[in-house]
Amino acid sequence: MNLFKLALLTFALSWAASVPVMAQEDDLLDLLNAQTDSAKANTIEYTYATFKTTRIISGQSIEIPAPGVMQFLIGHRFGTFKDGWRGLFGLDRANIRFAFEYGFTPWLAVGFGRSSADKMYDGSIKLKLLRQSTGKRKIPLTIGLYASGAIHSMEWTNPDRNNYFTSRMSYAFSLMIARKFNKGFSLQLTPTVAHQNLVPDKTFNNTVFAMGAGARQMVSKSLSINAEVFYLIPGQLPETYQSTYSIGIDLETGGHVFQFMITNARGMVEQYFVPRETQRWRDGDIQIGFNINRVFTVANYEKMQQRKAARKEKKS
């Protein structure tokens, strides 16, 4: 009986001693959580990797190369599945584009590319106006602008006509509105306008509007599934011209991002695949394509900024 009383007394004293300790631990945990929440509230946490690279599939994504980074892009779109086994289901033919894109700042990038279709050269600029963030500055969306000018260098089909240099030129402008909803899913709306200085006849509008949209769903850290559409507003072109639909995957391997897709878009610049596509999914006019993205660090942006700040401080 005495042993039982002694054990009961020992348990009671231990419990009583532990209550303040547990209370102190809870108070300390609450204090740490409060400090963490306060620190987050006083800092800006920006969203990153809304998309894996600068293109969702064919159209632009909100992403730009990091400052001081050069991105080299090689794109292929093969012939259609309708070529059959004699044409290796389109693999005997290819439309090719290569491009360089360089990030000057966290919000500015420029690019230059060349496509085999129409022997087209293009230059572009991309601006990031707002960036999705939480904390001190809460912004629900990332918003950017893209502008491109292109010139085709093919010989004129009718050289006797009074052909102008400006007739070779075309332009495209896109507003990109994107949101990363969680770690795995991102969505972007891309209203786009494309303008051609020269069109075949009066049934074509020189300026054509399309509503673009794209989505990304991560499957793993290195793999994601993408979908993209550019819906051509009806009544602007003859009925043979089509909206474009694409589905593909992104595969990241170190400094490379491989993009594989199935699409009815032959062109790889907005001046082509927005106003000039005639292929239809339902007619089997679809093809395999891929983009290969490789990045190279050209300049250390942080060191450049430090040297700039040091020179400014020295002058003052």
Side-chain angles (χ1 to χ4, degrees):
M1 189 68 179
N2 289 334
L3 289 174
F4 176 75
K5 290 180 178 179
L6 180 60
L8 185 63
L9 179 62
T10 301
F11 174 77
L13 291 174
S14 300
W15 179 81
S18 66
V19 171
V21 174
M22 288 189 294
Q24 291 174 5
E25 289 177 350
D26 290 342
D27 290 343
L28 181 59
L29 186 60
D30 291 341
L31 179 61
L32 290 173
N33 288 336
Q35 290 176 344
T36 301
D37 293 340
S38 177
K40 288 183 177 180
N42 291 322
T43 58
I44 302 174
E45 294 187 5
Y46 290 106
T47 297
Y48 65 94
T50 304
F51 293 93
K52 185 63 74 174
T53 186
T54 58
R55 278 164 179 73
I56 301 175
I57 294 181
S58 296
Q60 298 291 323
S61 78
I62 196 65
E63 303 297 338
I64 63 175
V69 170
M70 175 77 76
Q71 176 170 289
F72 178 51
L73 171 67
I74 300 175
H76 273 64
R77 301 296 184 269
F78 294 97
T80 66
F81 292 165
K82 290 171 65 175
D83 288 355
W85 66 271
R86 293 183 185 276
L88 200 57
F89 300 97
L91 296 183
D92 281 353
R93 297 187 290 133
N95 176 23
I96 304 170
R97 180 178 183 267
F98 65 86
F100 293 92
E101 299 171 353
Y102 183 76
F104 281 97
T105 72
W107 51 269
L108 171 65
V110 299
F112 171 80
R114 201 269 187 182
S115 301
S116 60
D118 284 358
K119 317 299 182 188
M120 184 181 290
Y121 296 86
D122 64 270
S124 64
I125 183 170
K126 188 188 284 190
L127 299 171
K128 197 175 280 191
L129 305 179
L130 287 177
R131 188 174 174 185
Q132 184 179 342
S133 60
T134 58
K136 186 177 181 181
R137 181 184 298 166
K138 296 181 179 179
I139 300 176
L141 301 169
T142 301
I143 299 177
L145 290 173
Y146 172 79
S148 172
I151 177 170
H152 77 79
S153 59
M154 294 182 65
E155 294 184 3
W156 294 109
T157 56
N158 187 355
D160 295 331
R161 289 184 57 184
N162 189 14
N163 299 307
Y164 298 98
F165 177 81
T166 54
S167 299
R168 297 181 176 274
M169 302 184 71
S170 57
Y171 311 90
F173 305 92
S174 296
L175 173 65
M176 300 164 291
I177 307 169
R179 177 172 174 79
K180 189 173 184 179
F181 288 87
N182 51 51
K183 184 179 179 180
F185 181 72
S186 302
L187 179 68
Q188 178 176 303
L189 297 179
T190 315
T192 298
V193 56
H195 177 87
Q196 301 176 88
N197 281 354
L198 180 66
V199 292
D201 55 56
K202 293 183 179 180
T203 63
F204 292 76
N205 287 356
N206 292 84
T207 303
V208 175
F209 295 88
M211 173 53 74
R216 171 180 181 246
Q217 176 62 57
M218 286 185 62
V219 178
S220 67
K221 186 176 180 180
S222 59
L223 180 67
S224 63
I225 299 174
N226 295 350
E228 181 182 76
V229 57
F230 277 85
Y231 177 72
L232 193 61
I233 307 301
Q236 305 177 94
L237 298 170
E239 293 183 0
T240 53
Y241 288 80
Q242 304 297 312
S243 303
T244 60
Y245 304 89
S246 309
I247 186 168
I249 61 172
D250 287 0
L251 180 62
E252 183 178 9
T253 58
H256 293 79
V257 178
F258 294 91
Q259 296 181 292
F260 301 90
M261 72 284 296
I262 298 175
T263 179
N264 68 320
R266 292 171 297 175
M268 287 169 275
V269 292
E270 286 75 2
Q271 291 96 321
Y272 199 106
F273 67 76
V274 169
R276 300 176 60 185
E277 292 297 350
T278 57
Q279 301 187 136
R280 302 179 189 222
W281 271 73
R282 66 187 183 190
D283 294 337
D285 293 327
I286 54 178
Q287 60 248 336
I288 296 173
F290 66 81
N291 300 327
I292 301 176
N293 303 272
R294 181 69 169 96
V295 295
F296 304 89
T297 299
V298 177
N300 190 314
Y301 180 73
E302 292 184 0
K303 287 185 178 180
M304 291 172 59
Q305 293 299 102
Q306 290 173 359
R307 287 196 293 266
K308 184 177 179 181
R311 288 194 299 267
K312 187 175 180 181
E313 184 177 353
K314 188 176 180 178
K315 288 181 180 180
S316 62

